[in-house]
Amino acid sequence: MKYHVNEKRAIGKRSPMLYGHFIEHFHRQIYDGIYDPGNKLSDEEGFRKDIIEAMKKIKVPVLRWPGGCFVSSYHWKDGVGENRQPFFDKAWRVEDPNTFGTDEYIHMCRKIGCEPYICTNAGTGTAEEMSDWVEYCNLKNEGKYAKWRIANGEEQPYNVKYWSIGNENYGNWEIGAKSSEEWWRLVKEAAKMIKHVSPIVQLSAAALPDIDWTMSLLKHCGAYLDWISLHGYWDMLPEKNELADYNQCMAYTEQVDRAVLDVKGLLTALHLEGKIKIAFDEWNLRSWHHPNVHTIEQGIDSKTYLVPRDKNDDNSSYTMADAVFTACFLNAMNRHCDIVGMANFAPILNTRGCIYSYKDGLVLRSTYHVFDLYVNRLGDIVLDGWEEGEKNTITVFDKNGNQITTDTLDILATQHSRTGKISISVVNKEAEKKQKVKICLNENQKGRYRIQKYQIAGKSVDSYNDIDKKDVFIEGFPEEETDGVYEAVLLPHSINVFDFERIR
Ligand code: AHR
């Protein structure tokens, strides 16, 4: 097969926020995670310096916080100022010490060098409580909440640009779940108050590819929104931690952009596609394991629903399946960069995150290296490209036994706007076989290019990283030269980036 790159046709310019992340008050993401006062690896404010450095290496552009389900009964005012009282988190059924709140979050974002993105409580919260939060963060000194921030030691406003109204309030599992009628009414009132407080705010609201919910939200609130929030998890594991195997995960790669296409259609139907972008602000191949939370089964003790959460932190779970899926998802979002402006890996740290932390250090899981490769090697312009000749496919079965046929290769062509260099990602989903593809930058073979290849492959489909085990990493190769057609050889279950620099 040949893959032709059309250097003269750009699909769009990808926002850096496509490589965003999410962190929630859940298990060891915040407490005993990035916020670990007293640990020898933490700084004077209690933040783990090694984790911050790992986040800076993948240039985290935006970090959504504090939830997720957690936020739908969180009251931000209890988490600022001197008198922090622990509260019982009714979403995750644990006590939250409240020592990590808005000020600590902003300080953390500054250390990482990322944009804050605050998701507000549209479960038990009110439009007023949400807009008070914006006052606290964004007003200079007007009113009591800006003055409260100053009294807490922050003279200047935080100028938080990205805010979301609610989290999955469409779901029965969410505290303060709403009907679509209740939803658009709350969003409209909250949006009015938030935008009256701060003209810099870009506002999102919880949505999903459901016509009734999202059409009524867009019809009534489209004028107030800049983003629409989508979530996606494919290997659903909340109650049973029975992970899909490699080939079952390849079946999911056929579904990654279904929600984007559905919601893009709704935006287009309402002529909002130029005004509102999609924030895919929670996504991961595997959903989090937390049994007996979204149920209300009584008569069970807390160990029954708390102890199993540690299974999320089994590093052997995060294999080349997770890495290959992550690359396919990011390729798809790049291809949809005209409508997808943000995506947030859920979460960044521990649970299903790309980084695992323990008292004495870190493990960079397989997915971390995909972000490292994409953020640091791929260009910001998404180029047109097409396949010539018969495409190889693989036939796999999903967890329900459905037969799925999917392209063996997933290819994304990009260009660096600053240098003009072309960088191409080629993902080989095949579990066992190498693949070959002729990358054609110039069919007449004119021009000479210097090529640099990077690869993430592991030793097998089940390769993973753990403490004192590093089987998945980015491998660089010696430079080569080629004319306008380059035959790439791709190892099974691999993610590859080829840099082409024209030398004449
Ligand atoms: O499993 C974690 C939860 O997944 C997040 O808190 C929520 O937003 C999503 O349903």
Side-chain angles (χ1 to χ4, degrees), residues 22 24-26 29 64 66-71 91-92 167-168 170 173-174 231 233 236 238 281-282 286-290 294 312 346-347 351-352:
F22 168 56
E24 178 165 3
H25 288 232
F26 174 83
Q29 295 177 33
R64 178 173 177 260
C69 294
F70 166 82
V71 76
W92 299 123
N167 177 80
E168 300 187 357
Y170 44 79
W173 58 84
E174 197 79 10
H231 290 177
Y233 296 95
M236 290 308 292
D281 58 24
E282 278 186 37
R286 306 192 197 272
S287 80
W288 307 359
H289 180 58
H290 35 60
H294 292 159
N312 290 292
T351 314
R352 303 284 188 207

Coordinates of all heavy atoms in Angstrom, one line a residue, residues 22 24-26 29 64 66-71 91-92 167-168 170 173-174 231 233 236 238 281-282 286-290 294 312 346-347 351-352, ligand 1:
F22 N -6.9 15.3 32.7 CA -8.0 15.5 33.7 C -7.4 14.9 35.0 O -6.7 13.9 35.0 CB -9.2 14.7 33.3 CG -10.3 14.5 34.3 CD1 -10.9 15.6 35.0 CD2 -10.8 13.3 34.6 CE1 -11.9 15.4 35.9 CE2 -11.8 13.1 35.5 CZ -12.3 14.2 36.2
E24 N -8.9 14.1 39.2 CA -10.1 14.2 40.0 C -9.8 13.9 41.4 O -8.8 13.2 41.7 CB -11.1 13.2 39.5 CG -12.4 13.1 40.3 CD -13.6 12.5 39.6 OE1 -13.4 11.9 38.5 OE2 -14.7 12.5 40.2
H25 N -10.6 14.3 42.4 CA -10.5 13.9 43.8 C -11.1 12.5 43.8 O -12.2 12.3 44.2 CB -11.3 14.8 44.7 CG -10.7 16.2 44.8 ND1 -10.5 16.7 46.1 CD2 -10.3 17.1 43.9 CE1 -9.9 17.9 45.9 NE2 -9.8 18.1 44.6
F26 N -10.3 11.5 43.4 CA -10.6 10.1 43.4 C -9.4 9.3 43.8 O -8.3 9.5 43.2 CB -11.2 9.7 42.1 CG -11.5 8.2 42.0 CD1 -12.6 7.7 42.5 CD2 -10.5 7.3 41.5 CE1 -12.9 6.3 42.4 CE2 -10.7 5.9 41.4 CZ -11.9 5.4 41.9
Q29 N -5.4 10.2 43.1 CA -5.0 11.2 42.1 C -4.5 12.5 42.7 O -3.4 13.0 42.4 CB -6.1 11.5 41.1 CG -6.5 10.2 40.3 CD -7.7 10.5 39.4 OE1 -7.9 11.6 38.9 NE2 -8.5 9.5 39.2
R64 N -8.1 19.6 33.6 CA -9.5 19.7 34.1 C -9.5 19.2 35.5 O -8.9 18.2 35.9 CB -10.4 19.0 33.2 CG -11.9 18.9 33.6 CD -12.7 18.3 32.5 NE -14.1 18.2 32.9 CZ -14.7 17.0 33.3 NH1 -14.0 15.9 33.5 NH2 -16.0 17.0 33.6
P66 N -12.3 19.7 39.5 CA -11.9 18.7 40.4 C -12.6 17.3 40.2 O -12.4 16.4 40.8 CB -12.4 19.2 41.8 CG -13.6 20.1 41.4 CD -13.4 20.6 40.0
G67 N -13.5 17.3 39.2 CA -14.2 16.1 38.8 C -15.0 16.4 37.5 O -15.0 17.5 37.0
G68 N -15.7 15.4 36.9 CA -15.9 14.0 37.4 C -17.0 14.0 38.5 O -17.5 15.1 38.9
C69 N -17.5 12.8 38.7 CA -18.6 12.6 39.6 C -18.4 13.4 41.0 O -19.3 13.9 41.6 CB -18.8 11.2 39.9 SG -19.3 10.2 38.5
F70 N -17.1 13.5 41.4 CA -16.8 14.2 42.7 C -17.5 15.6 42.7 O -18.0 16.0 43.7 CB -15.3 14.3 42.8 CG -14.9 15.2 43.9 CD1 -14.8 14.8 45.2 CD2 -14.5 16.6 43.6 CE1 -14.4 15.7 46.2 CE2 -14.1 17.5 44.6 CZ -14.1 17.0 45.9
V71 N -17.4 16.3 41.6 CA -17.8 17.7 41.6 C -19.3 18.0 41.9 O -19.7 19.0 42.3 CB -17.3 18.4 40.3 CG1 -18.3 18.1 39.2 CG2 -17.2 19.9 40.5
A91 N -20.1 11.3 46.5 CA -19.9 10.6 45.2 C -19.0 9.4 45.3 O -19.5 8.3 45.0 CB -19.3 11.6 44.2
W92 N -17.9 9.6 46.0 CA -16.9 8.5 46.1 C -16.9 7.9 47.5 O -16.1 7.0 47.8 CB -15.5 8.9 45.7 CG -15.5 9.3 44.2 CD1 -15.1 10.5 43.7 CD2 -15.9 8.6 43.1 NE1 -15.2 10.6 42.4 CE2 -15.7 9.4 41.9 CE3 -16.4 7.3 42.9 CZ2 -16.0 8.9 40.6 CZ3 -16.7 6.9 41.6 CH2 -16.5 7.7 40.5
N167 N -21.1 18.0 35.3 CA -20.4 16.8 34.8 C -21.4 15.7 34.7 O -22.0 15.2 35.7 CB -19.3 16.4 35.9 CG -18.7 15.1 35.5 OD1 -17.8 15.1 34.6 ND2 -19.1 14.0 36.0
E168 N -21.7 15.2 33.5 CA -22.5 14.0 33.2 C -23.9 14.1 34.0 O -24.4 13.1 34.5 CB -21.8 12.8 33.6 CG -20.5 12.6 32.8 CD -19.8 11.3 33.0 OE1 -20.3 10.5 33.9 OE2 -18.8 11.0 32.4
Y170 N -26.6 14.2 33.0 CA -27.6 13.4 32.2 C -27.7 12.0 32.8 O -28.6 11.2 32.4 CB -27.2 13.3 30.7 CG -25.8 13.0 30.5 CD1 -25.2 11.8 30.6 CD2 -24.9 14.1 30.2 CE1 -23.9 11.5 30.4 CE2 -23.5 13.9 30.0 CZ -23.0 12.6 30.1 OH -21.7 12.3 29.9
W173 N -26.4 7.9 37.5 CA -25.4 7.7 38.5 C -24.9 9.0 39.1 O -24.3 9.0 40.2 CB -24.2 7.0 37.8 CG -23.6 7.8 36.7 CD1 -22.7 8.8 36.7 CD2 -23.9 7.6 35.3 NE1 -22.4 9.3 35.5 CE2 -23.2 8.6 34.6 CE3 -24.8 6.8 34.6 CZ2 -23.2 8.8 33.2 CZ3 -24.8 6.9 33.2 CH2 -24.1 7.9 32.5
E174 N -25.1 10.1 38.4 CA -24.6 11.4 38.9 C -25.4 12.0 40.0 O -26.7 12.0 39.9 CB -24.5 12.4 37.7 CG -23.6 13.6 37.9 CD -22.1 13.2 37.8 OE1 -21.8 12.1 37.3 OE2 -21.3 14.1 38.1
H231 N -17.7 12.8 26.9 CA -16.9 11.9 27.6 C -16.9 10.6 26.8 O -18.0 10.2 26.2 CB -17.4 11.6 29.0 CG -17.2 12.8 29.9 ND1 -17.6 12.9 31.2 CD2 -16.6 14.0 29.6 CE1 -17.3 14.1 31.7 NE2 -16.7 14.8 30.8
Y233 N -15.5 6.4 27.4 CA -14.7 5.2 27.9 C -15.2 4.0 27.1 O -16.4 3.9 26.9 CB -14.9 5.0 29.4 CG -14.5 6.1 30.2 CD1 -15.4 7.1 30.7 CD2 -13.2 6.2 30.7 CE1 -15.0 8.2 31.5 CE2 -12.7 7.3 31.5 CZ -13.6 8.3 31.9 OH -13.2 9.3 32.7
M236 N -15.6 -0.9 29.4 CA -16.4 -0.4 30.6 C -16.1 -1.4 31.8 O -16.5 -2.6 31.7 CB -17.8 -0.3 30.3 CG -18.2 0.9 29.4 SD -17.5 2.4 30.0 CE -18.5 2.7 31.5
P238 N -16.6 -0.5 35.5 CA -16.9 0.0 36.8 C -17.1 -1.1 37.9 O -16.6 -1.0 39.0 CB -18.1 0.9 36.6 CG -18.7 0.5 35.3 CD -17.6 0.0 34.5
D281 N -13.7 16.1 27.1 CA -12.9 16.4 28.3 C -12.8 15.3 29.4 O -12.4 15.5 30.5 CB -13.3 17.7 28.9 CG -14.8 17.8 29.3 OD1 -15.4 16.7 29.5 OD2 -15.3 18.9 29.4
E282 N -13.2 14.1 29.0 CA -12.8 12.9 29.7 C -12.8 11.7 28.6 O -13.8 11.5 28.0 CB -13.8 12.4 30.8 CG -13.6 13.1 32.1 CD -14.5 12.6 33.2 OE1 -14.7 11.3 33.2 OE2 -15.1 13.3 34.0
R286 N -10.0 2.5 29.0 CA -10.6 1.8 30.0 C -11.3 2.7 31.1 O -10.6 3.6 31.6 CB -9.5 0.9 30.7 CG -8.8 0.0 29.7 CD -7.9 -1.0 30.4 NE -6.9 -1.6 29.5 CZ -7.1 -2.6 28.7 NH1 -8.3 -3.1 28.6 NH2 -6.1 -3.1 27.9
S287 N -12.5 2.4 31.4 CA -13.2 3.2 32.5 C -12.6 2.8 33.8 O -11.9 1.7 34.0 CB -14.7 2.9 32.5 OG -15.0 1.7 33.1
W288 N -12.8 3.6 34.8 CA -12.2 3.3 36.2 C -13.0 2.2 36.9 O -14.2 2.0 36.6 CB -12.3 4.6 37.0 CG -11.7 5.8 36.4 CD1 -11.1 5.9 35.1 CD2 -11.6 7.1 36.9 NE1 -10.7 7.1 34.8 CE2 -11.0 7.9 35.9 CE3 -12.0 7.7 38.1 CZ2 -10.7 9.3 36.1 CZ3 -11.8 9.1 38.3 CH2 -11.2 9.8 37.3
H289 N -12.3 1.4 37.7 CA -13.0 0.4 38.4 C -13.3 0.9 39.8 O -12.5 1.3 40.6 CB -12.0 -0.9 38.5 CG -12.7 -2.0 39.3 ND1 -13.8 -2.6 38.9 CD2 -12.3 -2.7 40.4 CE1 -14.1 -3.6 39.7 NE2 -13.2 -3.6 40.6
H290 N -14.6 0.9 40.1 CA -15.1 1.4 41.5 C -16.4 0.7 41.7 O -17.5 1.4 41.5 CB -15.2 2.9 41.6 CG -15.6 3.6 40.3 ND1 -16.8 3.4 39.7 CD2 -15.0 4.5 39.6 CE1 -16.9 4.1 38.6 NE2 -15.8 4.8 38.5
H294 N -22.0 3.3 41.8 CA -23.1 3.7 41.0 C -24.3 2.9 41.3 O -25.3 2.9 40.6 CB -22.8 3.7 39.5 CG -21.8 4.7 39.1 ND1 -21.0 4.6 38.0 CD2 -21.3 5.8 39.8 CE1 -20.2 5.7 38.0 NE2 -20.4 6.4 39.0
N312 N -7.2 -0.5 40.0 CA -6.9 0.5 39.0 C -5.4 0.7 38.9 O -4.9 1.1 37.8 CB -7.6 1.8 39.2 CG -9.1 1.8 39.1 OD1 -9.6 1.6 38.0 ND2 -9.8 1.9 40.2
A346 N -8.3 10.8 30.9 CA -8.9 10.7 32.2 C -8.4 9.4 32.9 O -8.9 8.3 32.5 CB -10.4 10.7 32.0
P347 N -7.6 9.5 33.9 CA -7.0 10.8 34.4 C -5.5 10.8 34.0 O -5.1 9.8 33.3 CB -7.1 10.6 35.9 CG -6.8 9.2 36.2 CD -7.4 8.4 35.0
T351 N -4.9 5.6 39.1 CA -6.2 5.1 38.5 C -5.8 4.6 37.1 O -5.0 3.7 37.0 CB -7.3 6.2 38.5 OG1 -7.3 6.8 39.8 CG2 -8.7 5.5 38.3
R352 N -6.4 5.1 36.1 CA -6.0 4.6 34.7 C -5.0 5.6 34.0 O -4.9 5.6 32.8 CB -7.3 4.5 33.8 CG -8.4 3.7 34.4 CD -8.1 2.2 34.2 NE -9.3 1.3 34.6 CZ -9.2 0.1 35.0 NH1 -8.0 -0.5 35.1 NH2 -10.2 -0.6 35.3
Ligands
AHR1 O1 -15.1 6.6 36.6 C1 -14.8 8.0 36.8 C2 -15.9 8.8 36.4 O2 -16.2 8.5 35.0 C3 -15.8 10.3 36.4 O3 -15.8 10.8 37.7 C4 -17.1 10.6 35.6 O4 -17.0 11.9 35.0 C5 -17.2 9.5 34.6 O5 -18.4 8.9 34.6

